[in-house]
């Protein structure tokens, strides 16, 4: 059975801190690892990672994939209150043709 | 600039009732899917379609039916609602199926919150 595990499940930090969110995966026929941000409604796409060791960056957010360790991290530097959200990790591949999601990390940024 | 549109946004049903959640996309996406999101469970795939006339089951298909008569529409039917189907339902689409490409980004609708009493 395909599985994606995220840690921590919840995290509270102060504005300005740097956070690292973790994702490990066991997905048959793995193709890519995706990160989404979910605020109040629909998840919105952040990154897609297919190659090990190549960092993807967008502003204060960055992510990297380690295919040997079957894991990925999402870093957020100089956090702001607007970064408060649930961050979802998902793997593509697998038996059914869709994404296998982790349970998410609920990140709260306190002013 | 509609993207993926889901209706209704909220619905309350009694056990045993049936209903249809509507999903429409205007991006000419071949792939469409339905997920449910429950607290502490993440998003789980219910059904998906890789093109008009083609549907298949995901991780949690029991109690749900789908059809894909057009590229744009992918309705989800609850046949006889049960309290265990209380959830937030998301429709998502993409140009190609996630397993065949490295462009697995899904575009999500805003969700439909369903409560079954």
């Amino acid at each position: 059975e395909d599985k994606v595990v995220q840690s921590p499940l919840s995290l509270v930090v102060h504005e300005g801190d740097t956070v690292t969110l973790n994702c490990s995966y066991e997905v048959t026929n793995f193709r890519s690892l995706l990160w989404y941000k979910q605020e109040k409604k629909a998840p919105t796409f952040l990154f897609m990672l297919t190659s090990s060791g190549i960092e993807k960056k967008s502003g204060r957010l960055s992510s990297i994939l380690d295919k040997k360790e079957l894991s990925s991290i999402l870093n957020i530097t100089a956090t702001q209150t607007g970064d408060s959200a649930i961050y979802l990790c998902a793997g593509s591949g697998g038996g059914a043709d869709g994404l296998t999601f982790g349970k998410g990390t609920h990140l709260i940024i306190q002013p | 600039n509609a993207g993926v549109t889901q209706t209704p946004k909220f619905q309350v049903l009694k056990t045993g009732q049936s209903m249809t959640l509507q999903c429409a996309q205007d991006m000419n996406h071949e792939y469409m899917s339905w997920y449910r999101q429950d607290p502490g469970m993440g998003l789980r795939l219910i059904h998906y379609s890789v093109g008009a006339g083609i549907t298949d089951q995901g991780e949690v298909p029991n109690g749900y039916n789908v059809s894909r008569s057009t590229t744009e529409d992918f309705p989800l039917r609850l046949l006889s609602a049960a309290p265990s189907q209380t959830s937030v339902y998301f429709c998502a689409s993409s140009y190609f199926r996630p397993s065949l490409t490295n462009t697995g980004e899904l575009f999500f609708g805003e969700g439909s919150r369903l409560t079954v009493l």
Side-chain angles (χ1 to χ4, degrees), chain B residues 11 35-39 42 44 46 64 83-89 112-116:
Chain B
Q11 183 74 49
Y35 289 82
R36 60 177 289 175
Q37 186 174 33
D38 303 295
R44 292 181 291 168
I46 304 172
Y64 307 95
S84 61
Q85 293 179 302
T86 294
S87 188
V88 179
Y89 292 85
S112 298
R113 184 176 292 275
L114 174 67
T115 301
V116 182

Side-chain angles (χ1 to χ4, degrees), chain B residues 11-19 78-82 85 116:
Chain B
Q11 183 74 49
V12 179
L13 290 178
K14 293 181 180 177
T15 297
Q17 287 184 315
S18 62
M19 76 155 299
L78 280 71
L79 310 171
S80 176
Q85 293 179 302
V116 182

Side-chain angles (χ1 to χ4, degrees), chain A residues 58-110:
Chain A
S58 176
R60 296 176 293 103
L61 279 68
S62 63
S63 184
I64 196 162
L65 177 67
D66 186 336
K67 281 188 172 180
K68 187 177 175 185
E69 297 295 326
L70 304 183
S71 66
S72 174
I73 60 171
L74 175 69
N75 282 321
I76 309 175
T77 59
T79 52
Q80 302 171 357
T81 54
D83 295 326
S84 295
I86 296 173
Y87 289 84
L88 299 166
C89 172
S92 76
D97 211 332
L99 299 183
T100 301
F101 281 88
K103 294 181 181 180
T105 294
H106 190 187
L107 177 64
I108 297 172
I109 311 297
Q110 291 182 337

Side-chain angles (χ1 to χ4, degrees), chain A residues 30-49:
Chain A
F30 172 81
R31 293 195 67 86
S32 58
L33 192 290
L34 296 97
W35 285 95
Y36 283 84
K37 178 182 182 182
Q38 185 177 26
E39 296 176 84
K40 292 182 180 175
K41 294 182 179 177
T44 54
F45 175 76
L46 293 175
F47 297 111
M48 185 180 70
L49 305 156

Side-chain angles (χ1 to χ4, degrees), chain B residues 86-108:
Chain B
T86 294
S87 188
V88 179
Y89 292 85
F90 286 99
C91 180
S93 70
S94 63
Y95 284 107
F96 303 113
R97 60 177 81 178
S99 67
L100 291 184
T101 73
N102 287 336
T103 58
E105 177 190 353
L106 292 180
F107 295 82
F108 283 84

